[in-house]
Amino acid sequence: MSDNSTTTYMNSYLLLIFFACLTVRWCVSINSYSGAGKPPMYGDYEAQRHWMEVTFNLPVQKWYQNSSDNDLQYWGLDYPPLTAYHSWLCGYVADKINPDWVALQSSRGYESDTHKLFMRYTVMIVDVILYLPAILLFYLFAIKGKTIGERLFLTSIVLLYPGLILIDHGHFQYNNASLGLTVFAVTFVSLGHDLWGSFFFVCALNYKQMELYHSVPFFCFLLGKCIKSSEENGLWKLIKIGSVVVLTFGLCWLPFLRDTDVALQVLRRLFPFGRGLFEDKVSNIWCVLDVLFKLKRNIAQDHLVLLSLATTIMCLLPSAFHLLLNPTIEKFKYSLVNCSLVFFLFSYQVHEKSILIPALSVCLVFHNQPFLASWFLLISTFSMFPLLMKDDLVLPYFALTLLFITAVVFYLVLFEHQSTSTFLILLGMLSVCGSVSISTVAVTIPAPPRYPDIYPVLISGYSCGHFLFFLLYFYYAQLSCEFDGNDTKSNKQAKLKVPKKKQKYQHKKKGKKRD
């Protein structure tokens, strides 16, 4: 195929992916959203609208402060400055269209068809500007060893991940902003542009503090590269990266740094330990153990904070140190999966929607682990099913799950030539069938009055067991991955499978490498 034909083919397929993904998102957005018609607090939709109201009408120093005009008990702003600036921008545009949408106090609980259309457009625009381009760039430029057709197909599968679409375009949030910034960061460091990668990751962290889930791999990978460099080059590299990080943080926080009390209040809002160990029935260790032992009732909050901190650190250390000593791109991406999953399973104050952060990490190793990755992404969506049921998003959940499974099957048939263990395939199929069956029963058969939370508890336990299995598997993937995934041969050999017979691996000849 000539270069012109390849370019034309690629551009046509990119446009098809772009419009298909937007169409799917728009179909989900016409459904209900979090807290629709449910006063007095409504839901996340109202939280995002209220932040637009507060940031547009009040001075910057008052955004995180409790006052008569800003009751922090009513969806007080609790995300970092970039989220607040984004809310201000949306509030500014909303005021130009209809001032009633962001009128101070009187706009609480505002609901209308035109306002819903506006709010849905704001999420779609973030997808168009950040998330879709980030995934496209990652799969077109940051991975090697795949044909252009395979990379485009991988892009379309990742962009059809049901969990993110249902939460952002159904439930209503802007996770696509922080996740898109993170993908840009991973793409740039994969291509050797560590300063740009550092900039984008700091921006992601300053949009949502949950991006701390990814901070340990970024820190260890970049520090490991500096240590591996020659003494002078490594030190100079470390100084440049540190300068970018400090400068970017400083610019994001500049309006709040003029007053120490204001800055401290922002930090208190970002890390509200008083909310408890977890919220609702999240699919992590503490929620599952709480069913058996009632952790919240029997252990003091301070002790729970220390327990979760110690457990998280212990489970993080092997991945972190291994990456620090072996700072290759492939290990970095697996460490993103492992560290974010450890945070989700063991850290303090976890939301069910936080599973989207490990899910994004898994999306970035989909090309190496298509079967395991797709299995994880389906279970992660299933783990949020109680929330989706509450938001009347059951039909989009089943439709997107079926669409995603269909796309994955086509990819595995057309492109995946690596043999996967029959046992793993059967286990994965039974697992997904189990999740679909539980979802169907939860929708069709009411919970018994004596056990009203039986379905959320069952779903959280079922999902948590899977996440522990995936953590062990991806830990093995990181520790056993010997090659950097930036070249064709290593990309093939980095794929893991459970072989029927032990095989001897031949070592690659030494050659020039570039992280």
Side-chain angles (χ1 to χ4, degrees), residues 104-121:
L104 192 61
Q105 295 187 346
S106 64
S107 62
R108 287 191 178 186
Y110 192 99
E111 291 180 309
S112 71
D113 289 339
T114 52
H115 183 254
K116 177 184 175 181
L117 184 64
F118 167 77
M119 294 289 278
R120 294 301 198 191
Y121 269 130

Side-chain angles (χ1 to χ4, degrees), residues 108 111 126 140 163 167-168 170 219 224 283 350 440-441 446 449 465 499:
R108 287 191 178 186
E111 291 180 309
V126 175
L140 290 179
I167 294 301
D168 278 9
F219 175 81
S283 301
V350 175
T440 304
V441 171

Side-chain angles (χ1 to χ4, degrees), residues 39-99:
M41 293 299 290
Y42 301 92
D44 276 356
Y45 177 94
E46 167 62 10
Q48 301 291 341
R49 188 216 59 78
H50 180 63
W51 294 351
M52 298 176 194
E53 167 198 343
V54 168
T55 54
F56 177 72
N57 288 285
L58 300 180
V60 174
Q61 290 74 21
K62 301 292 184 181
W63 288 354
Y64 295 87
Q65 297 280 1
N66 192 54
S67 66
S68 57
D69 290 327
N70 185 21
D71 180 8
L72 295 183
Q73 296 303 311
Y74 183 81
W75 297 120
L77 187 60
D78 54 5
Y79 281 170
L82 282 188
T83 290
Y85 304 148
H86 180 209
S87 297
W88 175 87
L89 179 61
C90 292
Y92 177 84
V93 176
D95 180 71
K96 296 300 180 184
I97 299 173
N98 186 344

Side-chain angles (χ1 to χ4, degrees), residues 21 67 87 102 107 116 123 138 165 175 215 232 244 316 326 344 352-353 399 455 457 485-486 505-506:
C21 291
S67 66
S87 297
V102 289
S107 62
K116 177 184 175 181
V123 183
F138 175 80
I165 297 175
N175 295 287
S215 60
E232 291 185 4
V244 169
L316 282 176
N326 305 274
F344 178 81
E352 66 270 51
K353 299 181 289 293
Y455 291 129
V457 170
N486 276 342
Y505 294 94
Q506 294 181 348

Side-chain angles (χ1 to χ4, degrees), residues 324-501:
L324 183 65
L325 298 175
N326 305 274
T328 67
I329 292 298
E330 209 65 31
K331 293 180 184 295
F332 167 61
K333 288 186 288 188
Y334 281 121
S335 185
L336 288 172
V337 177
N338 294 322
C339 291
S340 58
L341 198 48
V342 164
F343 268 105
F344 178 81
L345 286 169
F346 299 103
S347 64
Y348 191 88
Q349 236 304 294
V350 175
H351 297 255
E352 66 270 51
K353 299 181 289 293
S354 298
I355 193 60
L356 295 176
I357 301 173
L360 175 77
S361 310
V362 172
C363 286
L364 301 183
V365 297
F366 197 104
H367 57 290
N368 280 344
Q369 306 278 352
F371 182 80
L372 266 295
S374 56
W375 183 8
F376 178 95
L377 295 177
L378 287 168
I379 295 298
S380 69
T381 305
F382 168 70
S383 72
M384 298 182 286
F385 188 67
L387 176 67
L388 301 174
M389 277 206 312
K390 188 187 301 184
D391 294 339
D392 296 326
L393 295 170
V394 172
L395 181 59
Y397 164 81
F398 281 109
L400 283 181
T401 298
L402 180 60
L403 178 63
F404 184 76
I405 291 174
T406 303
V408 169
V409 169
F410 270 105
Y411 173 79
L412 294 176
V413 170
L414 293 174
F415 296 107
E416 186 57 24
H417 303 301
Q418 294 286 327
S419 60
T420 303
S421 166
T422 304
F423 173 75
L424 273 183
I425 293 175
L426 291 175
L427 190 63
M429 292 174 64
L430 289 173
S431 164
V432 173
C433 287
S435 65
V436 173
S437 299
I438 295 172
S439 304
T440 304
V441 171
V443 171
T444 55
I445 302 177
R450 188 176 178 183
Y451 303 105
D453 293 332
I454 187 170
Y455 291 129
V457 170
L458 178 60
I459 290 170
S460 65
Y462 188 88
S463 302
C464 181
H466 281 77
F467 294 147
L468 286 171
F469 163 76
F470 288 124
L471 178 61
L472 293 174
Y473 185 91
F474 284 115
Y475 241 116
Y476 173 72
Q478 178 185 340
L479 298 177
S480 62
C481 178
E482 299 180 7
F483 300 94
D484 192 337
N486 276 342
D487 60 78
T488 304
K489 291 182 180 179
S490 66
N491 216 13
K492 291 177 181 177
Q493 296 184 58
K495 295 181 180 179
L496 291 177
K497 56 185 179 180
V498 180
K500 296 180 179 178
K501 296 181 180 179

